[in-house]
Amino acid sequence: MKPSKIVVQNLYKVFGDQPQEAMRLLKLGESKESVFHNLGQVVGVNNVSFAVNEGEIFVLMGLSGSGKSTLIRLINRLVDPTSGDILLDGQSITRLSAKELVDLRRRDMSMVFQSFALMPHRTVLDNAAFGLEIAGVGRRARESAAMKVLEQVGLAPFARKYPHQLSGGMQQRVGLARALAVNPSLILMDEAFSALDPLKRAEMQDILLDLQREQRRTIFFVSHDLEEALRIGTRIAIMEGGRLVQVGTPQEIIEKPADDYVRRFFRSVDTSRYLLARDLIDPGLSPSFAATRSVPPSASLNDVLHSLLGEHDPLTVAEQGGSSLGVITSSSALRKLAEHRLRDTV
Amino acid sequence: MSELWQRLMTTPQGALPLGDWVNALIRMLMDHNGGAFDAIGSVVEGLAASVEAMLLALPVWMLMGVFVALGLWRLSWRFAVFVLGAFGLIYVMGFWHQTVSTLALTLSATCLSLLLGVPVGIWCARSNVANVMVRPVLDFMQTMPAFVYLIPAAMFFGLGRVPGILATVVFAIPPAVRLTSLGIRQVNTEQVEAGQAFGCSAWQLLLKVQLPIALPAIMAGVNQTIMMALSMVIIASMVGAGGLGNDVLSSIQRLDVGLGYESGLAVVLLAIVLDRITESFGKGMAARQSRAD
Ligand SMILES: Nc1ncnc2c1ncn2[C@@H]1O[C@H](COP(=O)(O)OP(=O)(O)O)[C@@H](O)[C@H]1O
Ligand SMILES: [Mg+2]
């Protein structure tokens, strides 16, 4: 079992001047709405617990106002928790002094923002080197480190330009470079690609996935776009009104949505695209059914369809050299596909 | 209730001796803090004297050249030609020396205003309490007729450029405070968060994020401060501050319309040059920032 990078335990955040009173009501089971109605206190995060594994892309989803930005800011303590605990690499970070907090942020974590939040008076290179400069790294060392990450995101030729001379997509690549330059083990991204048009967004997702293949960092990614979550997420958490309603892999989320709120996110999304071979297994056939060809359980829908097309015999689902998990037939694949396509369009 | 009303109605006009109280306060300050005023006075005198000596030590062509070059760099060759013409005209009208004195007074007063105003502006941006307290004081300072500062200033510091400069500082500080505070408050939340998320200390946040991003607004404040200082140092000639204001003043005393016109024109030309050049600094920076966030 992989160690947890972040563990969040019974976390609450109340905005307002009577947080303790609000906590008392919440613990009595009152809702966010009733706390606001009775006390005028805004509940941002309401009794949230989860763990983020080392090296995964953990996507937090929810409608606007559901508390995503608050939750992500609790993790680097831009927002102070009202109650509960946050462990980073097993260490609690909820009771750090101001100085310890500054050290923690310089050492091992960084953040990418929806509005890019670049410094307009700094060149692209100086923006990328910002975190290192703050941490006191000398000019030579920080500029060469910054140059390296600018190359990774394809912006080396623009190092001497200013942010306003770049397009939105390029500006966010600077934001990403700034976050990578400090070589953090954890990157927080709050709707980092939401301000970009769909093409630029997909491009940024590819850059992120490529980077992730080279160096495994833990990425905590906030999004309100299910396609983005399904595309990049190792696991997805869904938030509603300050609470977590479901945490799971993309397949778990699309196969077994916890409630209608979760299902609502699927409405405009073709979830069948995210089906894998293991989801297409025919429940009526025994795994020992002899098939001549096999596919790994993580094969994509398209791979399976290519294998099935034109041939009449079924496919065995098995890891390389492993035993059979089950069998896919044309009709089991079609049934699953229809289930998703028809659910999504009604 | 009705008794109170009656008392109010029968109170003679002018029964509140506010002016007497202010006089008493001034007298008390003078009696007990003479040393402090002397110390402040000599610092200001030192600053003003060295600024003026420095400007006068430069050959005329060099000082003009500096402004022409600034005009060329910041604006255009056309403005550089204008600067040359304006300063040439002042020179041939015979007001060069006074203009340099006025420039020195303006610069000294501006320096002091910024030295006091920018930190107060930063304080107001960081604390709502400070903001609420300082704001009415600024309104008071800015709307009080400027002459009113001259009298107590002259009583504390004697005649000369020191009271002139200090009265000017009081008059010219408000825009520096206001625009510094406004500029810092306008910094985008996520930019501040970015600074914090990368581990800025409070000082680093101020120096590397908030002040640089607020700089266009602060430069607009500098521009206004300079313009207000220039208008006030002319008035301050009434307490012997010197410079072009002396010529304006004597033209009034002697009903000399021609002199008034010439010296007034010199003030206007100097004002245009200072205004356009300082404005260009703020604008250049604002253009860089406008599309960045
Ligand atoms: N600083 C704050 N003061 C008061 N209320 C806040 C503050 N920040 C967020 N909130 C409230 O907390 C709730 C969650 O907001 P947020 O975390 O920004 O949601 P999301 O990022 O999912 O859109 C909202 O109701 C919002 O109005
Ligand atoms: Mg948000």
PDB file of all heavy atoms in Angstrom, chain B residues 160-192:
ATOM      1  N   GLY B 160      10.688  81.829   5.746  1.00  0.00           N
ATOM      2  CA  GLY B 160      11.696  81.183   4.904  1.00  0.00           C
ATOM      3  C   GLY B 160      11.145  79.970   4.204  1.00  0.00           C
ATOM      4  O   GLY B 160       9.933  79.762   4.159  1.00  0.00           O
ATOM      5  N   ARG B 161      12.041  79.149   3.674  1.00  0.00           N
ATOM      6  CA  ARG B 161      11.501  78.047   2.882  1.00  0.00           C
ATOM      7  C   ARG B 161      11.028  76.871   3.742  1.00  0.00           C
ATOM      8  O   ARG B 161      10.242  76.057   3.284  1.00  0.00           O
ATOM      9  CB  ARG B 161      12.490  77.591   1.823  1.00  0.00           C
ATOM     10  CG  ARG B 161      13.804  77.135   2.345  1.00  0.00           C
ATOM     11  CD  ARG B 161      14.722  76.864   1.165  1.00  0.00           C
ATOM     12  NE  ARG B 161      16.097  76.964   1.650  1.00  0.00           N
ATOM     13  CZ  ARG B 161      17.134  77.117   0.870  1.00  0.00           C
ATOM     14  NH1 ARG B 161      16.986  77.232  -0.416  1.00  0.00           N
ATOM     15  NH2 ARG B 161      18.333  77.170   1.377  1.00  0.00           N
ATOM     16  N   VAL B 162      11.535  76.779   5.001  1.00  0.00           N
ATOM     17  CA  VAL B 162      11.115  75.647   5.834  1.00  0.00           C
ATOM     18  C   VAL B 162       9.594  75.631   6.068  1.00  0.00           C
ATOM     19  O   VAL B 162       8.935  74.627   5.787  1.00  0.00           O
ATOM     20  CB  VAL B 162      11.882  75.613   7.160  1.00  0.00           C
ATOM     21  CG1 VAL B 162      11.324  74.530   8.072  1.00  0.00           C
ATOM     22  CG2 VAL B 162      13.351  75.375   6.902  1.00  0.00           C
ATOM     23  N   PRO B 163       8.999  76.728   6.560  1.00  0.00           N
ATOM     24  CA  PRO B 163       7.536  76.675   6.722  1.00  0.00           C
ATOM     25  C   PRO B 163       6.832  76.477   5.390  1.00  0.00           C
ATOM     26  O   PRO B 163       5.802  75.800   5.321  1.00  0.00           O
ATOM     27  CB  PRO B 163       7.177  78.037   7.330  1.00  0.00           C
ATOM     28  CG  PRO B 163       8.319  78.914   6.962  1.00  0.00           C
ATOM     29  CD  PRO B 163       9.543  78.035   6.976  1.00  0.00           C
ATOM     30  N   GLY B 164       7.412  77.060   4.346  1.00  0.00           N
ATOM     31  CA  GLY B 164       6.809  76.901   3.017  1.00  0.00           C
ATOM     32  C   GLY B 164       6.771  75.439   2.619  1.00  0.00           C
ATOM     33  O   GLY B 164       5.741  74.920   2.176  1.00  0.00           O
ATOM     34  N   ILE B 165       7.903  74.770   2.786  1.00  0.00           N
ATOM     35  CA  ILE B 165       7.967  73.362   2.392  1.00  0.00           C
ATOM     36  C   ILE B 165       7.036  72.514   3.267  1.00  0.00           C
ATOM     37  O   ILE B 165       6.302  71.651   2.771  1.00  0.00           O
ATOM     38  CB  ILE B 165       9.415  72.837   2.475  1.00  0.00           C
ATOM     39  CG1 ILE B 165      10.237  73.439   1.337  1.00  0.00           C
ATOM     40  CG2 ILE B 165       9.455  71.319   2.423  1.00  0.00           C
ATOM     41  CD1 ILE B 165      11.704  73.109   1.398  1.00  0.00           C
ATOM     42  N   LEU B 166       7.038  72.792   4.575  1.00  0.00           N
ATOM     43  CA  LEU B 166       6.221  71.948   5.460  1.00  0.00           C
ATOM     44  C   LEU B 166       4.733  72.151   5.210  1.00  0.00           C
ATOM     45  O   LEU B 166       3.959  71.185   5.192  1.00  0.00           O
ATOM     46  CB  LEU B 166       6.593  72.202   6.912  1.00  0.00           C
ATOM     47  CG  LEU B 166       7.979  71.619   7.235  1.00  0.00           C
ATOM     48  CD1 LEU B 166       8.413  71.991   8.644  1.00  0.00           C
ATOM     49  CD2 LEU B 166       7.998  70.111   7.068  1.00  0.00           C
ATOM     50  N   ALA B 167       4.332  73.393   4.979  1.00  0.00           N
ATOM     51  CA  ALA B 167       2.921  73.619   4.642  1.00  0.00           C
ATOM     52  C   ALA B 167       2.596  72.902   3.337  1.00  0.00           C
ATOM     53  O   ALA B 167       1.515  72.322   3.173  1.00  0.00           O
ATOM     54  CB  ALA B 167       2.644  75.113   4.512  1.00  0.00           C
ATOM     55  N   THR B 168       3.543  72.927   2.414  1.00  0.00           N
ATOM     56  CA  THR B 168       3.343  72.238   1.139  1.00  0.00           C
ATOM     57  C   THR B 168       3.196  70.729   1.344  1.00  0.00           C
ATOM     58  O   THR B 168       2.352  70.077   0.729  1.00  0.00           O
ATOM     59  CB  THR B 168       4.525  72.523   0.193  1.00  0.00           C
ATOM     60  OG1 THR B 168       4.617  73.930   0.005  1.00  0.00           O
ATOM     61  CG2 THR B 168       4.334  71.839  -1.136  1.00  0.00           C
ATOM     62  N   VAL B 169       4.027  70.193   2.235  1.00  0.00           N
ATOM     63  CA  VAL B 169       3.964  68.750   2.497  1.00  0.00           C
ATOM     64  C   VAL B 169       2.571  68.361   3.007  1.00  0.00           C
ATOM     65  O   VAL B 169       1.963  67.395   2.541  1.00  0.00           O
ATOM     66  CB  VAL B 169       5.059  68.338   3.505  1.00  0.00           C
ATOM     67  CG1 VAL B 169       4.810  66.930   4.027  1.00  0.00           C
ATOM     68  CG2 VAL B 169       6.430  68.415   2.849  1.00  0.00           C
ATOM     69  N   VAL B 170       2.065  69.160   3.938  1.00  0.00           N
ATOM     70  CA  VAL B 170       0.731  68.862   4.474  1.00  0.00           C
ATOM     71  C   VAL B 170      -0.300  68.839   3.345  1.00  0.00           C
ATOM     72  O   VAL B 170      -1.156  67.965   3.273  1.00  0.00           O
ATOM     73  CB  VAL B 170       0.318  69.914   5.536  1.00  0.00           C
ATOM     74  CG1 VAL B 170      -1.126  69.688   5.964  1.00  0.00           C
ATOM     75  CG2 VAL B 170       1.255  69.859   6.715  1.00  0.00           C
ATOM     76  N   PHE B 171      -0.145  69.775   2.428  1.00  0.00           N
ATOM     77  CA  PHE B 171      -1.097  69.914   1.338  1.00  0.00           C
ATOM     78  C   PHE B 171      -0.939  68.797   0.298  1.00  0.00           C
ATOM     79  O   PHE B 171      -1.908  68.362  -0.315  1.00  0.00           O
ATOM     80  CB  PHE B 171      -0.866  71.281   0.683  1.00  0.00           C
ATOM     81  CG  PHE B 171      -1.900  71.666  -0.321  1.00  0.00           C
ATOM     82  CD1 PHE B 171      -3.226  71.870   0.060  1.00  0.00           C
ATOM     83  CD2 PHE B 171      -1.552  71.841  -1.650  1.00  0.00           C
ATOM     84  CE1 PHE B 171      -4.175  72.236  -0.869  1.00  0.00           C
ATOM     85  CE2 PHE B 171      -2.503  72.204  -2.584  1.00  0.00           C
ATOM     86  CZ  PHE B 171      -3.813  72.404  -2.195  1.00  0.00           C
ATOM     87  N   ALA B 172       0.298  68.327   0.111  1.00  0.00           N
ATOM     88  CA  ALA B 172       0.578  67.414  -1.007  1.00  0.00           C
ATOM     89  C   ALA B 172       0.607  65.939  -0.604  1.00  0.00           C
ATOM     90  O   ALA B 172       0.671  65.076  -1.469  1.00  0.00           O
ATOM     91  CB  ALA B 172       1.907  67.802  -1.671  1.00  0.00           C
ATOM     92  N   ILE B 173       0.558  65.646   0.686  1.00  0.00           N
ATOM     93  CA  ILE B 173       0.606  64.243   1.120  1.00  0.00           C
ATOM     94  C   ILE B 173      -0.625  63.418   0.708  1.00  0.00           C
ATOM     95  O   ILE B 173      -0.487  62.276   0.295  1.00  0.00           O
ATOM     96  CB  ILE B 173       0.792  64.149   2.664  1.00  0.00           C
ATOM     97  CG1 ILE B 173       2.278  64.184   2.992  1.00  0.00           C
ATOM     98  CG2 ILE B 173       0.197  62.884   3.223  1.00  0.00           C
ATOM     99  CD1 ILE B 173       2.553  63.979   4.468  1.00  0.00           C
ATOM    100  N   PRO B 174      -1.849  63.981   0.814  1.00  0.00           N
ATOM    101  CA  PRO B 174      -3.028  63.124   0.613  1.00  0.00           C
ATOM    102  C   PRO B 174      -3.011  62.246  -0.631  1.00  0.00           C
ATOM    103  O   PRO B 174      -3.271  61.043  -0.520  1.00  0.00           O
ATOM    104  CB  PRO B 174      -4.188  64.115   0.630  1.00  0.00           C
ATOM    105  CG  PRO B 174      -3.713  65.182   1.547  1.00  0.00           C
ATOM    106  CD  PRO B 174      -2.247  65.331   1.244  1.00  0.00           C
ATOM    107  N   PRO B 175      -2.691  62.777  -1.828  1.00  0.00           N
ATOM    108  CA  PRO B 175      -2.715  61.851  -2.966  1.00  0.00           C
ATOM    109  C   PRO B 175      -1.704  60.719  -2.838  1.00  0.00           C
ATOM    110  O   PRO B 175      -1.974  59.595  -3.297  1.00  0.00           O
ATOM    111  CB  PRO B 175      -2.399  62.737  -4.179  1.00  0.00           C
ATOM    112  CG  PRO B 175      -1.906  64.014  -3.632  1.00  0.00           C
ATOM    113  CD  PRO B 175      -2.447  64.163  -2.251  1.00  0.00           C
ATOM    114  N   ALA B 176      -0.552  60.994  -2.221  1.00  0.00           N
ATOM    115  CA  ALA B 176       0.441  59.923  -2.067  1.00  0.00           C
ATOM    116  C   ALA B 176      -0.122  58.808  -1.191  1.00  0.00           C
ATOM    117  O   ALA B 176       0.000  57.622  -1.501  1.00  0.00           O
ATOM    118  CB  ALA B 176       1.728  60.476  -1.467  1.00  0.00           C
ATOM    119  N   VAL B 177      -0.772  59.185  -0.090  1.00  0.00           N
ATOM    120  CA  VAL B 177      -1.360  58.181   0.810  1.00  0.00           C
ATOM    121  C   VAL B 177      -2.480  57.427   0.107  1.00  0.00           C
ATOM    122  O   VAL B 177      -2.510  56.196   0.073  1.00  0.00           O
ATOM    123  CB  VAL B 177      -1.919  58.858   2.085  1.00  0.00           C
ATOM    124  CG1 VAL B 177      -2.604  57.816   2.976  1.00  0.00           C
ATOM    125  CG2 VAL B 177      -0.816  59.575   2.831  1.00  0.00           C
ATOM    126  N   ARG B 178      -3.398  58.191  -0.481  1.00  0.00           N
ATOM    127  CA  ARG B 178      -4.585  57.585  -1.090  1.00  0.00           C
ATOM    128  C   ARG B 178      -4.222  56.609  -2.196  1.00  0.00           C
ATOM    129  O   ARG B 178      -4.724  55.491  -2.243  1.00  0.00           O
ATOM    130  CB  ARG B 178      -5.440  58.681  -1.722  1.00  0.00           C
ATOM    131  CG  ARG B 178      -6.452  59.277  -0.800  1.00  0.00           C
ATOM    132  CD  ARG B 178      -7.395  60.132  -1.642  1.00  0.00           C
ATOM    133  NE  ARG B 178      -7.605  61.434  -1.017  1.00  0.00           N
ATOM    134  CZ  ARG B 178      -8.422  61.611   0.003  1.00  0.00           C
ATOM    135  NH1 ARG B 178      -9.069  60.596   0.513  1.00  0.00           N
ATOM    136  NH2 ARG B 178      -8.579  62.811   0.524  1.00  0.00           N
ATOM    137  N   LEU B 179      -3.345  57.035  -3.097  1.00  0.00           N
ATOM    138  CA  LEU B 179      -3.085  56.173  -4.256  1.00  0.00           C
ATOM    139  C   LEU B 179      -2.202  54.988  -3.895  1.00  0.00           C
ATOM    140  O   LEU B 179      -2.307  53.929  -4.497  1.00  0.00           O
ATOM    141  CB  LEU B 179      -2.530  56.995  -5.415  1.00  0.00           C
ATOM    142  CG  LEU B 179      -3.691  57.752  -6.074  1.00  0.00           C
ATOM    143  CD1 LEU B 179      -3.251  59.044  -6.720  1.00  0.00           C
ATOM    144  CD2 LEU B 179      -4.402  56.880  -7.095  1.00  0.00           C
ATOM    145  N   THR B 180      -1.339  55.153  -2.888  1.00  0.00           N
ATOM    146  CA  THR B 180      -0.563  53.990  -2.435  1.00  0.00           C
ATOM    147  C   THR B 180      -1.510  52.947  -1.862  1.00  0.00           C
ATOM    148  O   THR B 180      -1.456  51.758  -2.200  1.00  0.00           O
ATOM    149  CB  THR B 180       0.452  54.404  -1.359  1.00  0.00           C
ATOM    150  OG1 THR B 180       1.325  55.388  -1.900  1.00  0.00           O
ATOM    151  CG2 THR B 180       1.277  53.209  -0.905  1.00  0.00           C
ATOM    152  N   SER B 181      -2.404  53.404  -1.003  1.00  0.00           N
ATOM    153  CA  SER B 181      -3.354  52.497  -0.367  1.00  0.00           C
ATOM    154  C   SER B 181      -4.252  51.830  -1.413  1.00  0.00           C
ATOM    155  O   SER B 181      -4.438  50.613  -1.421  1.00  0.00           O
ATOM    156  CB  SER B 181      -4.173  53.292   0.644  1.00  0.00           C
ATOM    157  OG  SER B 181      -5.296  52.569   1.045  1.00  0.00           O
ATOM    158  N   LEU B 182      -4.769  52.648  -2.317  1.00  0.00           N
ATOM    159  CA  LEU B 182      -5.646  52.116  -3.369  1.00  0.00           C
ATOM    160  C   LEU B 182      -4.905  51.084  -4.217  1.00  0.00           C
ATOM    161  O   LEU B 182      -5.416  49.997  -4.488  1.00  0.00           O
ATOM    162  CB  LEU B 182      -6.129  53.266  -4.257  1.00  0.00           C
ATOM    163  CG  LEU B 182      -7.064  52.863  -5.386  1.00  0.00           C
ATOM    164  CD1 LEU B 182      -8.438  52.543  -4.836  1.00  0.00           C
ATOM    165  CD2 LEU B 182      -7.156  53.954  -6.438  1.00  0.00           C
ATOM    166  N   GLY B 183      -3.686  51.423  -4.604  1.00  0.00           N
ATOM    167  CA  GLY B 183      -2.905  50.527  -5.457  1.00  0.00           C
ATOM    168  C   GLY B 183      -2.691  49.179  -4.801  1.00  0.00           C
ATOM    169  O   GLY B 183      -2.833  48.136  -5.437  1.00  0.00           O
ATOM    170  N   ILE B 184      -2.365  49.192  -3.511  1.00  0.00           N
ATOM    171  CA  ILE B 184      -2.110  47.927  -2.824  1.00  0.00           C
ATOM    172  C   ILE B 184      -3.403  47.140  -2.655  1.00  0.00           C
ATOM    173  O   ILE B 184      -3.443  45.931  -2.843  1.00  0.00           O
ATOM    174  CB  ILE B 184      -1.439  48.181  -1.464  1.00  0.00           C
ATOM    175  CG1 ILE B 184      -0.029  48.729  -1.701  1.00  0.00           C
ATOM    176  CG2 ILE B 184      -1.377  46.899  -0.639  1.00  0.00           C
ATOM    177  CD1 ILE B 184       0.717  49.077  -0.450  1.00  0.00           C
ATOM    178  N   ARG B 185      -4.480  47.835  -2.339  1.00  0.00           N
ATOM    179  CA  ARG B 185      -5.750  47.125  -2.179  1.00  0.00           C
ATOM    180  C   ARG B 185      -6.246  46.528  -3.484  1.00  0.00           C
ATOM    181  O   ARG B 185      -7.009  45.575  -3.487  1.00  0.00           O
ATOM    182  CB  ARG B 185      -6.812  48.066  -1.605  1.00  0.00           C
ATOM    183  CG  ARG B 185      -6.663  48.269  -0.106  1.00  0.00           C
ATOM    184  CD  ARG B 185      -7.611  49.325   0.424  1.00  0.00           C
ATOM    185  NE  ARG B 185      -7.367  49.570   1.834  1.00  0.00           N
ATOM    186  CZ  ARG B 185      -8.007  48.939   2.812  1.00  0.00           C
ATOM    187  NH1 ARG B 185      -8.929  48.048   2.533  1.00  0.00           N
ATOM    188  NH2 ARG B 185      -7.713  49.212   4.064  1.00  0.00           N
ATOM    189  N   GLN B 186      -5.826  47.115  -4.589  1.00  0.00           N
ATOM    190  CA  GLN B 186      -6.305  46.609  -5.876  1.00  0.00           C
ATOM    191  C   GLN B 186      -5.526  45.409  -6.387  1.00  0.00           C
ATOM    192  O   GLN B 186      -5.898  44.839  -7.404  1.00  0.00           O
ATOM    193  CB  GLN B 186      -6.232  47.713  -6.932  1.00  0.00           C
ATOM    194  CG  GLN B 186      -7.453  48.608  -6.917  1.00  0.00           C
ATOM    195  CD  GLN B 186      -7.319  49.740  -7.899  1.00  0.00           C
ATOM    196  OE1 GLN B 186      -6.222  50.037  -8.363  1.00  0.00           O
ATOM    197  NE2 GLN B 186      -8.423  50.383  -8.209  1.00  0.00           N
ATOM    198  N   VAL B 187      -4.451  45.047  -5.714  1.00  0.00           N
ATOM    199  CA  VAL B 187      -3.698  43.872  -6.170  1.00  0.00           C
ATOM    200  C   VAL B 187      -4.621  42.657  -6.080  1.00  0.00           C
ATOM    201  O   VAL B 187      -5.274  42.436  -5.063  1.00  0.00           O
ATOM    202  CB  VAL B 187      -2.430  43.653  -5.322  1.00  0.00           C
ATOM    203  CG1 VAL B 187      -1.715  42.375  -5.746  1.00  0.00           C
ATOM    204  CG2 VAL B 187      -1.497  44.843  -5.457  1.00  0.00           C
ATOM    205  N   ASN B 188      -4.691  41.924  -7.173  1.00  0.00           N
ATOM    206  CA  ASN B 188      -5.572  40.763  -7.292  1.00  0.00           C
ATOM    207  C   ASN B 188      -5.315  39.751  -6.157  1.00  0.00           C
ATOM    208  O   ASN B 188      -4.178  39.477  -5.802  1.00  0.00           O
ATOM    209  CB  ASN B 188      -5.239  40.217  -8.690  1.00  0.00           C
ATOM    210  CG  ASN B 188      -5.887  38.928  -9.013  1.00  0.00           C
ATOM    211  OD1 ASN B 188      -6.100  38.091  -8.142  1.00  0.00           O
ATOM    212  ND2 ASN B 188      -6.194  38.765 -10.267  1.00  0.00           N
ATOM    213  N   THR B 189      -6.416  39.218  -5.585  1.00  0.00           N
ATOM    214  CA  THR B 189      -6.276  38.269  -4.459  1.00  0.00           C
ATOM    215  C   THR B 189      -5.354  37.105  -4.800  1.00  0.00           C
ATOM    216  O   THR B 189      -4.541  36.687  -3.978  1.00  0.00           O
ATOM    217  CB  THR B 189      -7.639  37.626  -4.102  1.00  0.00           C
ATOM    218  OG1 THR B 189      -8.654  38.537  -4.411  1.00  0.00           O
ATOM    219  CG2 THR B 189      -7.694  37.213  -2.667  1.00  0.00           C
ATOM    220  N   GLU B 190      -5.527  36.561  -6.015  1.00  0.00           N
ATOM    221  CA  GLU B 190      -4.717  35.390  -6.360  1.00  0.00           C
ATOM    222  C   GLU B 190      -3.242  35.753  -6.488  1.00  0.00           C
ATOM    223  O   GLU B 190      -2.377  34.911  -6.260  1.00  0.00           O
ATOM    224  CB  GLU B 190      -5.242  34.720  -7.636  1.00  0.00           C
ATOM    225  CG  GLU B 190      -6.531  33.941  -7.389  1.00  0.00           C
ATOM    226  CD  GLU B 190      -6.782  32.820  -8.411  1.00  0.00           C
ATOM    227  OE1 GLU B 190      -6.231  32.890  -9.521  1.00  0.00           O
ATOM    228  OE2 GLU B 190      -7.537  31.889  -8.083  1.00  0.00           O
ATOM    229  N   GLN B 191      -2.939  36.997  -6.847  1.00  0.00           N
ATOM    230  CA  GLN B 191      -1.521  37.392  -6.893  1.00  0.00           C
ATOM    231  C   GLN B 191      -0.931  37.419  -5.486  1.00  0.00           C
ATOM    232  O   GLN B 191       0.195  36.993  -5.257  1.00  0.00           O
ATOM    233  CB  GLN B 191      -1.366  38.761  -7.562  1.00  0.00           C
ATOM    234  CG  GLN B 191      -1.535  38.668  -9.079  1.00  0.00           C
ATOM    235  CD  GLN B 191      -1.567  40.012  -9.754  1.00  0.00           C
ATOM    236  OE1 GLN B 191      -2.103  40.990  -9.229  1.00  0.00           O
ATOM    237  NE2 GLN B 191      -0.997  40.099 -10.939  1.00  0.00           N
ATOM    238  N   VAL B 192      -1.707  37.920  -4.541  1.00  0.00           N
ATOM    239  CA  VAL B 192      -1.244  37.909  -3.150  1.00  0.00           C
ATOM    240  C   VAL B 192      -1.097  36.465  -2.670  1.00  0.00           C
ATOM    241  O   VAL B 192      -0.096  36.095  -2.056  1.00  0.00           O
ATOM    242  CB  VAL B 192      -2.223  38.684  -2.243  1.00  0.00           C
ATOM    243  CG1 VAL B 192      -1.840  38.538  -0.785  1.00  0.00           C
ATOM    244  CG2 VAL B 192      -2.257  40.147  -2.644  1.00  0.00           C
TER     245      VAL B 192
END
